[in-house]
Amino acid sequence: MDKQIVNMLSDIQQNMKEFDRNLKEFGSDLKEIKETVNRIETSQTEDVITKLKVENQRSETDFHYLNTRITDIDKRVFILENRSEG
């Protein structure tokens, strides 16, 4: 009977060692997952900022184009109004 208890204690010790190894591996995996998530979040933030800068540049270009066109059209209208008055 003493031998059975010794065997059971030995099995429990082995299971505890295996559990400890698995727990350490889990902790390592969790740390790696957190690092990956942080990299992805950082990358997404940089992507959004880049897209916003591109959209801002496009908006400025569109604004400049439209402003130039409106000014040109306004000038033509002014010239036509002066011709009709003259």
Side-chain angles (χ1 to χ4, degrees), residues 31 67 70:
K31 182 179 177 184
N67 191 39
I70 290 170

Side-chain angles (χ1 to χ4, degrees), residues 1-7:
M1 181 138 166
D2 288 335
K3 186 169 179 143
Q4 286 179 329
I5 294 174
V6 170
N7 286 339

Side-chain angles (χ1 to χ4, degrees), residues 58-71:
R58 285 181 185 163
S59 295
E60 287 177 4
T61 300
D62 290 347
F63 174 80
H64 179 69
Y65 171 77
L66 291 173
N67 191 39
T68 301
R69 292 288 297 149
I70 290 170
T71 302

